[in-house]
Amino acid sequence: MNMLSFLGETPTKALRKAQEECGEDAIVISTKKISDPDSKKSMYEVVVALEEDYDTNKGKKPSSFTKKIVTSNGKLKDKDFSAKVYDFKEEILKMQDAIEQVQKSIWDPKSQLYDLTIPPEFVDIYNLFESNEFDQEMTYTIMKKTIRQLPVGMKSNPHKINDFFKLILRRIIPIKNEVPLRKHQRKIMMMVGPTGVGKTTTIAKLAARYAYKLGENYKVGVVTLDSFRVGAIEQLQAYTNIMRLPLEIVKKPEDLVESLLRLKDCNYIFIDTAGSSQYDIDKIELINEFQKKVDELPIEKVLVLPANVKQSDLMDIYTNYSRLNIDYLTFTKLDETKSFGNLISFAHKTKKSITYMSIGQNVPDDLVVSNSSFLIDCFMNHACVK
């Protein structure tokens, strides 16, 4: 390789001379500030490397500022040990990192209503909220309060910052704690929600949990109102046969009372309903017709929702199903998403407590009794751990 040196009053001028004489094939080795031995002025030297057979004088006028660097070992000879070396590539990379850090720390909501700069120590948490599709207005409120209220001593400790935000999330997640029934108590739970969200599988998991897993020998019965979906009754019948549980099939609203009477000795009764689009109001109203026939009974209405949809879709489902007077929420398909902020912010906005979470298809194991710590761990790790 031939090493050539070019001088200029600025790095740009020196580099331009190198390009004019050597073309685009030259490889820039270094740029440094030196003192010109002739004029004693501060100059910038750009050193480039060329292939051995490259003719620098081919079709070009040699530059008076050009000199060949002769070395015995193939390395550049340092002529001026006091010279300051400028590594432009490194400086550019540093500038890019700084720009990215600034971009990450600027609050830029879609509504453009807010102006909030995220301190560097909160950038990782802020990005965690963004990547989890957490509601932007809630993110703004949480960040603003935390920036103002978090003690200065805690801001320098990433672990303490994480713990503080976990505490905030724990406070805003509405949870319905599971309270096992006493011997002569009875609870009726009706699962409602769109098609394909996992209502039937969730009922099978709950039935197995209360009938066998708690060790209390609870009597459990199942009722299905779903005579629309092909195979719906067969699927539930297969589960109840395996678990040796009674199953009532109800096709008309007036028959529901008699079915529940036949299950009067059961501590837990789970009612499966037909799924429908949240926009199919007629089918949702049909569930209401069944409900009105047993209006005198305390039935908990649980809206079953998939975790792998965006918050706006969750809100549409809730808005139209709320005509059934929803009491609680159950989330399914947590194993099919990496974003959990939509669940937390949705539950907080609707003020409806979460009862259970389904994390897979295995009956009865893939069911989690709601607790805020589990959901927060999913949020922090971008995955639910079975």
Side-chain angles (χ1 to χ4, degrees), residues 121-359:
E121 59 268 23
F122 287 174
V123 167
D124 288 340
I125 286 289
Y126 169 73
N127 289 334
L128 191 64
F129 274 70
E130 286 286 284
S131 60
N132 266 287
E133 299 179 17
F134 205 86
D135 181 80
Q136 285 201 335
E137 290 183 9
M138 289 180 64
T139 301
Y140 171 80
T141 302
I142 290 171
M143 287 289 168
K144 188 173 183 178
K145 286 184 177 180
T146 307
I147 291 169
R148 290 178 178 177
Q149 297 175 7
L150 189 67
V152 176
M154 292 179 65
K155 291 182 178 179
S156 60
N157 189 323
H159 294 294
K160 289 184 177 179
I161 291 175
N162 274 11
D163 289 342
F164 189 84
F165 277 98
K166 284 182 180 180
L167 178 62
I168 292 175
L169 290 174
R170 191 170 288 111
R171 287 177 176 174
I172 67 175
I173 300 174
I175 294 294
K176 171 70 165 59
N177 295 318
E178 183 182 62
V179 181
L181 296 179
R182 292 191 294 272
K183 190 174 181 180
H184 299 293
Q185 284 184 305
R186 184 168 79 150
K187 177 182 283 191
I188 305 173
M189 297 172 64
M190 178 184 283
M191 299 292 180
V192 301
T195 306
V197 296
K199 295 187 296 298
T200 303
T201 305
T202 301
I203 284 177
K205 293 175 183 177
L206 288 169
R209 173 176 177 77
Y210 287 111
Y212 298 105
K213 295 194 72 175
L214 294 182
E216 296 291 337
N217 295 320
Y218 288 122
K219 292 182 179 179
V220 177
V222 179
V223 177
T224 179
L225 313 181
D226 188 0
S227 58
F228 297 96
R229 185 165 57 92
V230 176
I233 295 175
E234 288 77 8
Q235 181 187 7
L236 200 50
Q237 209 155 31
Y239 286 131
T240 54
N241 286 342
I242 292 171
M243 293 184 281
R244 299 189 298 276
L245 302 177
L247 171 65
E248 292 286 333
I249 301 170
V250 179
K251 296 184 177 181
K252 295 184 292 184
E254 53 268 24
D255 295 338
L256 181 56
V257 176
E258 292 182 9
S259 295
L260 293 177
L261 282 174
R262 285 192 288 270
L263 299 174
K264 64 181 179 181
D265 293 332
C266 293
N267 301 104
Y268 288 93
I269 300 175
F270 299 101
I271 303 176
D272 194 14
T273 61
S276 67
S277 164
Q278 61 267 31
Y279 306 112
D280 192 342
I281 305 302
D282 289 338
K283 282 191 177 178
I284 297 175
E285 280 297 337
L286 182 58
I287 298 173
N288 230 349
E289 292 300 316
F290 281 96
Q291 188 176 259
K292 289 174 183 177
K293 295 298 180 180
V294 289
D295 213 18
E296 69 283 359
L297 293 176
I299 299 178
E300 290 183 359
K301 276 79 67 179
V302 181
L303 180 59
V304 183
L305 296 164
N308 57 351
V309 301
K310 57 184 183 289
Q311 188 180 167
S312 60
D313 289 335
L314 292 175
M315 198 58 74
D316 278 349
I317 295 169
Y318 173 77
T319 299
N320 288 330
Y321 270 91
S322 60
R323 65 186 64 235
L324 302 178
N325 298 318
I326 300 302
D327 296 301
Y328 302 110
L329 306 174
T330 285
F331 288 113
T332 61
K333 304 187 180 184
L334 271 75
D335 57 315
E336 298 180 21
T337 184
K338 292 185 177 180
S339 300
F340 300 90
N342 56 332
L343 309 186
I344 297 173
S345 45
F346 169 76
H348 178 76
K349 283 192 167 187
T350 59
K351 299 294 187 292
K352 298 298 178 182
S353 298
I354 305 169
T355 54
Y356 299 95
M357 292 175 282
S358 176
I359 57 173

Side-chain angles (χ1 to χ4, degrees), residues 23-139:
E24 298 297 329
D25 294 329
I27 301 172
V28 178
I29 301 300
S30 69
T31 304
K32 61 184 178 181
K33 188 177 182 181
I34 64 172
S35 295
D36 183 24
D38 299 326
S39 63
K40 304 298 182 183
K41 293 182 179 180
S42 293
M43 302 287 284
Y44 289 88
E45 180 187 48
V46 172
V47 177
V48 299
L50 290 170
E51 297 293 339
E52 293 286 350
D53 57 351
Y54 187 86
D55 185 5
T56 57
N57 296 317
K58 186 179 180 181
K60 296 184 179 70
K61 180 181 178 181
S63 170
S64 59
F65 290 102
T66 305
K67 58 184 175 182
K68 186 172 183 178
I69 300 176
V70 181
T71 64
S72 58
N73 56 3
K75 295 183 180 179
L76 293 178
K77 185 182 294 182
D78 193 350
K79 303 181 297 304
D80 184 358
F81 292 100
S82 64
K84 183 177 181 181
V85 178
Y86 285 83
D87 188 340
F88 282 98
K89 184 177 180 181
E90 183 180 350
E91 291 298 321
I92 290 171
L93 290 174
K94 286 180 180 179
M95 290 173 64
Q96 287 177 338
D97 288 341
I99 292 170
E100 288 177 3
Q101 191 75 3
V102 170
Q103 288 175 335
K104 289 178 181 177
S105 62
I106 294 177
W107 173 255
D108 186 25
K110 295 176 183 176
S111 61
Q112 301 294 327
L113 295 176
Y114 306 110
D115 180 20
L116 183 66
T117 300
I118 309 299
E121 59 268 23
F122 287 174
V123 167
D124 288 340
I125 286 289
Y126 169 73
N127 289 334
L128 191 64
F129 274 70
E130 286 286 284
S131 60
N132 266 287
E133 299 179 17
F134 205 86
D135 181 80
Q136 285 201 335
E137 290 183 9
M138 289 180 64
T139 301

